[in-house]
Amino acid sequence: MALTRTEQRNENALGLDEKSPEDVLRLLHEAQLEAAASVSRATDSIAKASLLAADTLASGGRLAYAAAGSSGLMAMADALELPGTYGIAPDRVVILFAGGVASLNRLAGTYEDDVSQAASDITAAGLIAGDCLIAISASGTTPYALAAIDEAKERGLRIISIANNPDVPMFEKADVAIALETPAEMVAGSTRMGAGTAQKIALNLLSTLMAIRLGHVHDGYMVNLVADNIKLRERAARIVSAISACDMSDAAKLLEASGGSVKSAILLAAGATSAENASKLLESNQQRLRPALSELKESHGSR
């Protein structure tokens, strides 16, 4: 049986162990750049997946990630940052990692073959119709990911599948299939390298576009961030200052008045009469700052 691309050895790896450190690093870096470039061929699918994920969260559903090994680590990195960066409630994001938290101390390969655990994880998470599953696997044949898809599909979830080989079983039941056709690895089968790099980029693109669609980004600022430490409180003040054209001390006062909400603080700076009024403006505009600002401006102009 022919090897899949993710199991093949990159032709540039011949004699790799005999080369100078500088040449080895150059070749490894070039392979990473090629892997990153593969994402550009999947942007149409990533856009569709992002819309599906955004619609899920906007409709009150949950977003779940399911993967094993290094693909699971890429998924976990993306999922864990959504609440802090974009203010998405933690209970709206579910991480299904083959082997569970205990496996993080040692990424044993046996976990990815546990199909019964995948089904149990879906059940334990209480995922239902209206939720969305993002399943990731470099090969596209990982039993844990496939079993998670099967169980999720039976429950009526929408499915986004990401793999680094084309025409794989993971794509058969997917609502959106994202094929990241990365080159053969410089270390054959070590998908933590090129395949993992492409997965990380694709997930970053997917979730960032999702956040933009949900109204959590305004002119390149993360206006829905959760400012729960000194660095992020300072960032929140800088965002309010930049968008509202006020100084940092005024921005800090506006944030205090808004209960820490960056969007509400910006609306207060724009003339909202109270934090409650700002909150209502956001609610009536699906938490999107730009239309809320437009509505506030129009209301002032009509007086």
Side-chain angles (χ1 to χ4, degrees):
M1 185 172 64
L3 288 176
T4 59
R5 186 176 300 191
T6 51
E7 289 298 324
Q8 294 172 0
R9 185 200 66 184
N10 192 305
E11 60 182 15
N12 293 325
L14 184 65
L16 188 67
D17 50 296
E18 297 180 312
K19 297 183 184 297
S20 69
E22 293 78 12
D23 283 342
V24 170
L25 292 177
R26 176 180 56 78
L27 289 168
L28 293 177
H29 183 227
E30 288 174 355
Q32 291 283 289
L33 293 176
E34 287 182 41
S38 71
V39 180
S40 65
R41 297 188 290 274
T43 51
D44 286 349
S45 296
I46 293 170
K48 291 175 184 175
S50 178
L51 178 59
L52 190 61
D55 285 348
T56 296
L57 291 175
S59 301
R62 291 188 293 166
L63 192 63
Y65 295 70
S70 58
S71 295
L73 295 177
M74 297 302 102
M76 188 175 293
D78 195 69
L80 288 174
E81 291 184 333
L82 294 181
T85 305
Y86 298 122
I88 296 170
D91 62 0
R92 306 286 298 284
V93 182
V94 178
I95 302 171
L96 307 179
F97 189 86
V101 175
S103 72
L104 292 176
N105 290 322
R106 180 174 178 269
L107 289 177
T110 54
Y111 296 127
E112 71 176 50
D113 294 333
D114 196 341
V115 296
S116 61
Q117 187 62 53
S120 297
D121 288 346
I122 294 281
T123 301
L127 295 169
I128 58 174
D131 295 332
C132 177
L133 180 75
I134 303 176
I136 307 108
S137 164
S139 67
T141 60
T142 302
Y144 180 89
L146 287 170
I149 290 171
D150 287 342
E151 183 66 24
K153 199 69 177 177
E154 285 188 17
R155 290 170 172 266
L157 274 74
R158 292 176 283 189
I159 309 294
I160 297 167
S161 289
I162 302 175
N164 297 83
N165 288 312
D167 305 319
V168 290
M170 274 186 63
F171 293 159
E172 293 173 4
K173 296 182 180 180
D175 294 283
V176 181
I178 300 173
L180 305 172
E181 296 186 45
T182 46
E185 300 285 0
M186 291 297 291
V187 178
S190 181
T191 53
R192 63 182 286 271
M193 299 179 70
T197 293
Q199 289 172 359
K200 173 63 174 168
I201 294 171
L203 286 167
N204 280 347
L205 298 182
L206 193 162
S207 58
T208 302
L209 180 56
M210 176 188 77
I212 292 169
R213 289 179 183 275
L214 290 170
H216 300 332
V217 177
H218 180 93
D219 284 343
Y221 290 111
M222 53 175 82
V223 290
N224 210 48
L225 87 165
V226 175
D228 57 2
N229 63 27
I230 293 172
K231 177 188 75 175
L232 292 177
R233 284 192 288 273
E234 290 177 351
R235 180 180 296 166
R238 285 197 302 273
I239 291 171
V240 174
S241 174
I243 295 175
S244 303
C246 65
D247 61 36
M248 286 288 285
S249 62
D250 286 339
K253 291 174 185 175
L254 289 165
L255 279 166
E256 185 176 354
S258 71
S261 167
V262 171
K263 292 178 183 177
S264 291
I266 292 167
L267 288 169
L268 286 172
T273 55
S274 67
E276 183 181 4
N277 175 243
S279 181
K280 287 179 178 178
L281 272 170
L282 288 169
E283 186 175 348
S284 66
N285 286 283
Q286 295 78 50
Q287 299 303 314
R288 289 172 168 80
L289 179 59
R290 195 177 300 278
L293 283 168
S294 295
E295 183 180 335
L296 182 61
K297 183 179 179 180
E298 288 173 7
S299 68
H300 285 173
S302 63
R303 291 174 186 173

